[in-house]
Amino acid sequence: MAITGDDVSLDQIVPVSRDFTLEEVSPEGELYILGSDVTVQLDTTELSLVFLLPFGSHTRMFLQEVARACPGFDPATPDPEFLWLSAYRCTRPELEPPTPFGWNSPPGASDFDDSRSDKRGLLVHPSSCAQDTPDSLLTRQNKSKSEITDLVRSSTIMVSDKAHMLSMQKFGLRDTIVKSRLVQKEEDYTYIQNFRFFVGTYNVNGQSPKEGLRPWLSHSIPAPDVYCVGFQELDLSKEAFFFHDTPKEEEWFKAVSEGLHPDAKYAKVKLVRLVGIMLLLYVKQEHAAHISEVEAETVGTGIMGRMGNKGGVAIRFQFHNTSICVVNSHLAAHTEEYERRNQDYKDICSRMQFCQIDPGLPPLTISKHDVILWLGDLNYRIEELDVETVKNLIEEKDFQTLYAYDQLKTQMATKAVFEGFIEGELTFQPTYKYDTGSDDWDTSEKCRAPAWCDRVLWKGKNITQLSYQSHMGLKTSDHKPVSSVFDIGVKVVNEERYRKTLEEIVRSLDKMENANIPSVSLSKREFCFQNVKYMQLQVQSFTIHNGQVPCQFEFINKPDEKSYCKQWLNANPSRGFLLPDSAVEIELELFVNKTTATKLNSGEDKIEDILVLHLDRGKDYFLSVSGNYLPSCFGSPIHTLCYMREPILELPLETIRELTLMPLQTEDDGVQLENPLGIPKELWMMVDYLYQNAIQQEDLFQQPGLRSEFEHIRDCLDTGMIESLSASNHSVAEALLLFLESLPEPVICYSTYHNCLECSGNYTASKQVISTLPTFHQNVFNYLMAFLRELLKKSAKNHLDENILASVFGSLLLRNPAGHRKPDMAEKKKAQEFIHLFLCNSP
């Protein structure tokens, strides 16, 4: 391999084994290197160096609004070229100049930092694929990463016969068929080659590296081809929750780089971090040219699915012809919370989406990969045994008996979590919880029982686990690191067979004139959704059966409409490709959220829509959707609820519509309806429940509730059956936050937003702004502040402080006006300071 330029050798630029760090191999074959100020152009014959200037990284605030938009690629990015077509077209496309997205960022900054932001969580790593998009500009085409993904799996485009998504408008139907046939015949031109993967996980308990990591990363094994190294609790400081940056990231990145196997040179492919959850991917230098389509994503599963103190990070990539996804997760803590851990796992699976090279293609989910490696502090505990019994079994090394009581084992056995995944035999003692700096079990006041919290699982074919062990020699944390070494069979292309296969496909297409008109049959064309509820998914499906002509299908916009369907509806998949005599199932997902609930309550919108299914070069098919929506207090205005003395579901629909459409300033116009309440009764019910039951609850407003309990709480509020309310404190707290988020006009009205920011440092001026709010909004604000101040009086028990509550409630009570740009970090900080004033000062 030659190097163009002034015969500069690679060793001159990267003189030691791990100086050159692969950030990404682009579809054009560009290799971005961290730490050496170069972009390397990969080819089979030469390696050319292009010098670029480094980019910086920005800190990000703890609070971010829930995402409403599906990211797309950065507009400065050149359109991708699909090199697989070069042989078919008989010409090699010219490569665009390299356009890295921010390589040479400080260690830990994502390759795509600063030009993208993740819209799923309140505390996130900015590694998705687009600029922010205002709510008012949302269309149904980009709904796959919109609000529906908070609780529902996102839309993906599927193709029959296990092919990948093939409807590439850029190339047309003929090239789509070529790629489809290539996917079908992949076994004809690929062979399986084993590569050694090291997978490691370590919960470092907020500590800095105090000892070398080679006993963990290089323990008496041949040099791995690929390293997948994950950390949890990288930084436990409050600053880590409020800001994106943490010095611990660089410290541990350096420690890992120095701990890799000394017998090989490694390139860092990717680093991704969400608060304290970090994942690093390295490959041997000689494999760098075969790594492509690298993407990283994050999902926070904390309160309201936003906070990133719990959740997952993932890196997906193509290694030769095999797609691989590596997930590092930190699930909910505490022995009794196994259901919440199960929910965290499901949320990560449903919400983790990776942008593809072609911006016209939908995101990939974790399950759409050939190989999945899942590691992390899964936090499943040992139950039904007391602490002493657990310790005695460990002392006797009777791990088999102990494993029978492992929560992860029992939950997997019931297929409640990690279905289809495999875990190796546990032949090592539990990795949690030790006194830091020793091998002694926890001697603190809580005296936590030992547990196998730190695990490695896998899913896919041609995977052999060679080792699975803990590393007792490392004593930095109250956890012990765990490693697993695999031989993974990767599909490698035989170029000669590939060319022959491609030639056969092209010849067969040359014989076939696509003069016939595509035709399909639909199993169902009318869909009725009964009793639709707020934030409760309903799904109905139908099947498209194709005839004898390959065809592409897509739901298209109706005239003068910006989207193919209304915002509460989604077709999954919304487009795709069908081979002759094949079929695909389409799911219609109906999901009402805060964006759509108000108009359904008011009657301005109804559960009615017509979908147009279009066949390329064929006819259109029309599908009718109908149903009824059960009104809810979620999504109803504050003043509307104050005039509803009865539960909303006991009122006539016409009354609900009139009250929902009632102008906000009715009371100020001198028009008084009969006997309004001071605050919404539903708000009082939730706050009173928390005041009675949760005043000393730890982690209140920081730990998520259960999905099923939210639905129960919603039904109790909407029917007035508050006496039957039975839910955890965390679920009621989360329901309160969701209620505040769903208000179409926030507690602090949009019109006063900028005034609040301007006086955020002055309590007297801030009180004056609040006094200008409509009466009901004033009442709600003062009521909530009084409740939060009561919580702070019990801070010795509940461990809440003003900063935490100001952060959580700042973005809910003081929201940027709808349709305006998203608030920047300075605005968010001022919003928190505004709320902070009222928490620290009595009225």
Side-chain angles (χ1 to χ4, degrees), residues 84-95:
W84 64 270
L85 281 174
S86 59
Y88 167 51
R89 294 179 178 278
C90 301
T91 59
R92 181 176 178 83
E94 292 187 8
L95 298 175

Side-chain angles (χ1 to χ4, degrees), residues 686-700:
M686 289 183 283
V687 170
D688 185 65
Y689 185 96
L690 294 173
Y691 184 76
Q692 298 295 333
N693 300 285
I695 200 76
Q696 299 183 17
Q697 175 70 57
E698 286 188 52
D699 300 326
L700 197 67

Side-chain angles (χ1 to χ4, degrees), residues 635-698:
S636 296
I638 288 176
H639 63 289
T640 295
L641 293 172
C642 287
Y643 283 108
M644 292 183 181
R645 301 189 66 86
E646 294 81 20
I648 192 169
L649 287 179
E650 291 185 8
L651 294 172
L653 290 178
E654 189 57 38
T655 300
I656 297 172
R657 289 167 184 161
E658 290 176 0
L659 291 176
T660 305
L661 290 171
M662 182 174 60
L664 174 61
Q665 301 297 331
T666 295
E667 54 181 302
D668 298 338
D669 295 339
V671 179
Q672 294 291 332
L673 299 182
E674 184 179 357
N675 298 324
L677 301 168
I679 61 172
K681 58 188 177 302
E682 296 84 1
L683 174 66
W684 175 85
M685 290 174 184
M686 289 183 283
V687 170
D688 185 65
Y689 185 96
L690 294 173
Y691 184 76
Q692 298 295 333
N693 300 285
I695 200 76
Q696 299 183 17
Q697 175 70 57
E698 286 188 52

Side-chain angles (χ1 to χ4, degrees), residues 34 104 133 426 555 632 668 740:
L34 183 68
N104 203 28
T133 304
L426 293 173
F555 289 97
S632 175
D668 298 338
L740 296 174

Side-chain angles (χ1 to χ4, degrees), residues 153-166:
R153 74 179 187 282
S154 63
S155 175
T156 58
I157 295 179
M158 299 169 55
V159 183
S160 64
D161 297 334
K162 300 180 181 180
H164 297 298
M165 164 47 206
L166 302 171

